[in-house]
Amino acid sequence: MSRWLFLFVVVINALALSSAHAASEPQQHPHIEVQLVSEFSHWQQDTPNWVAVVLRPEHHWHTYWVNPGESGLPTRINWTLPDGVEAGDIVWPTPERIEAAGIINLGFEEETLLLVPLTGEPSAESREINIHADVSWLVCKESCIPGNATLQMTLAKPDGNIPLPTEFAAAFSQARSQTATPLSLTAHTRVLSAEAEQRTLQLAITSSALQQASADLSLTMLAGSDLFVEQESLVQASALPRWQQQGDMLVASLALNDYFTTLPKQTAWLLITPDNKRLRFSATAGDWPAPSDTAVTATAGSAQNGAHSLLILMLMALIGGLLLNLMPCVFPVLAIKAVSLMKLRGKEKREARLHGWLYLGGIQASLLLLSGLLLLLKYSGQQIGWGFQLQDPWFLAVLASLMLAMALALFGVFELGARFMSVGQAQISRGGHQASFLSGVLAVVVASPCMTPLMAPAIGTALTLPAIEMILIMLALGFGLALPLWAISMLPRLAAMLPKPGPWLETFKQAMAFPLLLTSVWLLWLLSNHQILAVIATLLLWVIVAMLVWMRRRQLHRTFVVSLGLLLAAGISYQFTLSATQSEQALPEQAYSAERLSDSLSSNQAVLVNMTADWCLTCKVNERITFADSKVKEAFNQLGIAYLVGDWTHRDANITQYLDQFQHAGVPLYVLYDKQGNSQVLPQLLTPTLLIDSLNQAVQVKPNRQPPVE
């Protein structure tokens, strides 16, 4: 019995020794612990040997994925290995989106194992295999602290026995469940539009390619999946994919990153299905597949399916057109047009129906013209999507002005406009056919801003189809838009159900002006995203028009030219004054150096030192909210405070030395020096009010020269 107990103790000690050597000692660094571990204690021949760098951040601190998102840096590993041994790429676990003040990062808040396969056969000279890893990372919470460590562990050479798992084997299994399965699938990518408001990247997966990669997967199973791309500055970290099935392929649309420049030829993607399958695959730019081509030429059954899909798309477009009548930019036009049809009571049915057909014709003609323009741009090689008209500042300005004019017409400001707004009410009663046609054109124009958010997916799908199918879908949309009024004109019973004109009509017309005013405000907001001066120019145009109308009513025709010239001169002067003011209020920024700091303090000048980095989350938040504030810029200019910025995006010994002076391991660091050279460390989360108050206190101190802080 004692002999068996002795053998048991020996085996347990051997296992403990082998496990101890198969991992480095945990190293504690600011807000994170790191360690190098192995899945097995002995080196395995003819199979990958899995090792991992373990990152254990403190609670609420996080590290980063291979694509860190809007800020941050991924963890890097440099290996020193025996001859004949090679390290593969990091197998990254699935990231999570980490949000702070509107900035989205991709990373990990819990313990993370970065798995790496080691392969090859080490030389036979040594009995042990020494593995060294130089690891660098960035750990962030409110501040970001870069760190690095050299980790070392030893694996025993194979001894002919079955390799024993280490105490970390279970952690390896758990980590593998969080990684993606490689899929031999080549998808396709393209940039739909790189313009503002429509910055979209599309990823297409064809049914044939998916079936070749895995017979267990289908396009239906992938619809609704989440997507992450490994390349930085490609799509927004917060972007969730919008999936559409277009024939025999599935297309995901994602918002482009603000720093997007060019689309790489090859990209790597991580896909997480609704049932939590994780798949990793690649995508190639260019050679965008044509949807449904194979389905059309395959069999009669597939042709029937294609026709069935077209009918469904047309039905969806028709329903979307009906819903457009309830949108705030369309409903007022529809309501006033319906009221104008009351004038047709007692007239011949033929006359009423003719007005209905003309209204429908105006809508369809406008949509056919717009479809032709889209097709022309498409076949000329332009990458364009629905809503391109809202990318044009001129179109936005004209449309916002039109919405305002129609609202004022409903308020009764413009009598002539009111007759036009009522879609030719007087002309209709006299048989004015042109007014009915033009009212259909007007309906399409005013519907365009509301049509973009509501119908963009459906029309985006139509843009990928052959020309005739796209036109049919657009015509179905137009018929849905015209259907309510067309039905009233076609069916006298419906017209008879409309209420009789009375005092309520004036109140109703004025109430309909408010949705148009809201739409005009929304269009001005879109215009401000292009250029704020364009908004000012539009508002100035409205003032000029209002002045001209006023002069016309007051019969001040002789002063027309003089007044117009004065208004234009005032507008131009205002624009130049605004530009000059903005230029004067630019934050006076200089690159940090010890010499500049010393010179400023020697001249009794207050100084703010900002130590920042591109990967620093809190730094970016402060830049967007505080340092971009107009009052903060004005305070810097008025108080004459020197602003020195140190960029620690890449390691800089001078900045590191400065951080050490204030016992800071990372950025951001804001140090404010008053005129006496006394330093004050400001909070890492700055508000405009706090910063302005601190700046005022710094310049109120009486000069008393002291040796500057080096």
Side-chain angles (χ1 to χ4, degrees), residues 21 30 36 72 127 149 255 289 291 305 410 420 487 500 505 523-524 542 600 640 664:
H21 283 84
L36 178 64
R127 297 181 57 185
N305 290 335
L410 291 177
F420 175 72
K500 295 181 180 180
L505 180 57
L523 290 169
L524 286 179
W542 293 354
S600 298
H664 264 248

Side-chain angles (χ1 to χ4, degrees), residues 251-293:
V251 178
S253 299
L254 301 105
L256 282 175
N257 191 282
D258 292 338
Y259 300 101
F260 171 82
T261 53
T262 57
L263 181 61
K265 183 67 177 176
Q266 295 287 337
T267 49
W269 294 82
L270 170 63
L271 182 146
I272 306 174
T273 65
D275 59 352
N276 209 30
K277 289 187 176 68
R278 296 171 170 84
L279 306 173
R280 185 179 184 272
F281 59 92
S282 62
T284 304
D287 299 328
W288 188 258
S292 300
D293 286 350

Side-chain angles (χ1 to χ4, degrees), residues 85-274:
V85 177
E86 296 182 353
D89 295 331
I90 297 175
V91 179
W92 293 88
T94 303
E96 56 183 308
R97 291 182 175 89
I98 303 170
E99 189 271 340
I103 292 180
I104 304 298
N105 292 323
L106 304 177
F108 318 98
E109 289 188 318
E110 305 293 337
E111 176 181 289
T112 305
L113 270 70
L114 302 183
L115 307 181
V116 177
L118 303 183
T119 57
E121 294 188 9
S123 61
E125 298 177 358
S126 175
R127 297 181 57 185
E128 295 181 332
I129 301 172
N130 295 317
I131 300 172
H132 296 256
D134 292 318
V135 186
S136 60
W137 63 85
L138 185 70
V139 60
C140 295
K141 186 183 176 185
E142 294 177 354
S143 62
C144 291
I145 301 177
N148 60 84
T150 298
L151 306 174
Q152 178 182 354
M153 70 177 178
T154 302
L155 298 183
K157 282 196 171 183
D159 56 4
N161 297 319
I162 298 177
L164 298 174
T166 66
E167 60 183 295
F168 305 101
F172 275 82
S173 298
Q174 177 65 24
R176 287 192 181 93
S177 68
Q178 300 298 319
T179 60
T181 302
L183 195 65
S184 299
L185 169 69
T186 300
H188 305 269
T189 56
R190 69 174 179 180
V191 174
L192 185 63
S193 174
E195 301 294 333
E197 303 297 330
Q198 287 290 328
R199 295 169 56 86
T200 304
L201 180 142
Q202 286 192 326
L203 172 79
I205 301 174
T206 63
S207 177
S208 57
L210 184 61
Q211 286 297 307
Q212 291 178 3
S214 174
D216 298 329
L217 296 175
S218 65
L219 295 182
T220 305
M221 296 172 61
L222 301 189
S225 299
D226 199 1
L227 275 177
F228 297 92
V229 62
E230 295 185 5
Q231 282 68 29
E232 297 184 42
S233 302
L234 189 56
V235 301
Q236 293 182 12
S238 59
L240 296 176
R242 304 186 306 276
W243 292 95
Q244 301 172 4
Q245 185 157 352
Q246 302 176 6
D248 64 341
M249 70 179 184
L250 192 64
V251 178
S253 299
L254 301 105
L256 282 175
N257 191 282
D258 292 338
Y259 300 101
F260 171 82
T261 53
T262 57
L263 181 61
K265 183 67 177 176
Q266 295 287 337
T267 49
W269 294 82
L270 170 63
L271 182 146
I272 306 174
T273 65

Side-chain angles (χ1 to χ4, degrees), residues 275-518:
D275 59 352
N276 209 30
K277 289 187 176 68
R278 296 171 170 84
L279 306 173
R280 185 179 184 272
F281 59 92
S282 62
T284 304
D287 299 328
W288 188 258
S292 300
D293 286 350
T294 56
V296 172
T297 59
T299 64
S302 61
Q304 293 176 1
N305 290 335
H308 181 67
S309 298
L310 177 61
L311 290 176
I312 292 177
L313 288 175
M314 292 178 63
L315 179 61
M316 293 174 60
L318 187 145
I319 295 174
L322 278 172
L323 293 176
L324 277 175
N325 288 286
L326 301 178
M327 299 299 285
C329 48
V330 181
F331 183 72
V333 178
L334 171 69
I336 301 305
K337 172 65 179 176
V339 170
S340 69
L341 290 177
M342 298 176 187
K343 297 294 183 179
L344 295 176
R345 287 179 172 178
K347 299 227 176 242
E348 296 182 1
K349 295 180 180 180
R350 178 181 177 184
E351 182 70 15
R353 290 172 179 172
L354 179 57
H355 283 290
W357 283 112
L358 288 172
Y359 176 71
L360 173 62
I363 290 179
Q364 300 293 40
S366 302
L367 288 175
L368 283 175
L369 180 62
L370 186 57
S371 299
L373 178 60
L374 285 170
L375 289 172
L376 180 63
L377 293 172
K378 175 183 176 182
Y379 291 124
S380 64
Q382 299 289 328
Q383 292 180 327
I384 196 164
W386 181 255
F388 72 97
Q389 68 273 27
L390 297 183
Q391 300 170 6
D392 188 345
W394 287 102
F395 182 84
L396 291 173
V398 171
L399 193 57
S401 302
L402 177 61
M403 292 290 179
L404 176 65
M406 290 191 299
L408 294 177
L410 291 177
F411 282 129
V413 176
F414 302 112
E415 293 300 329
L416 180 63
R419 288 197 295 270
F420 175 72
M421 184 58 195
S422 66
V423 204
Q425 176 177 321
Q427 296 184 40
I428 289 177
S429 63
R430 298 192 303 267
H433 298 154
Q434 183 180 4
S436 290
F437 182 87
L438 292 178
S439 64
V441 176
L442 177 65
V444 173
V445 173
V446 299
S448 59
C450 296
M451 198 182 300
T452 296
L454 181 64
M455 295 301 300
I459 300 179
T461 302
L463 285 172
T464 66
L465 299 176
I468 185 63
E469 296 184 10
M470 171 189 167
I471 292 175
L472 289 174
I473 292 174
M474 297 292 283
L475 291 178
L477 169 65
F479 184 70
L481 179 60
L483 183 56
L485 291 181
W486 180 83
I488 291 175
S489 64
M490 291 295 107
L491 301 175
R493 292 183 180 180
L494 291 179
M497 295 173 61
L498 295 175
K500 295 181 180 180
W504 67 270
L505 180 57
E506 190 63 26
T507 302
F508 177 75
K509 286 170 56 179
Q510 293 180 7
M512 290 298 97
F514 291 101
L516 294 176
L517 289 175
L518 291 175

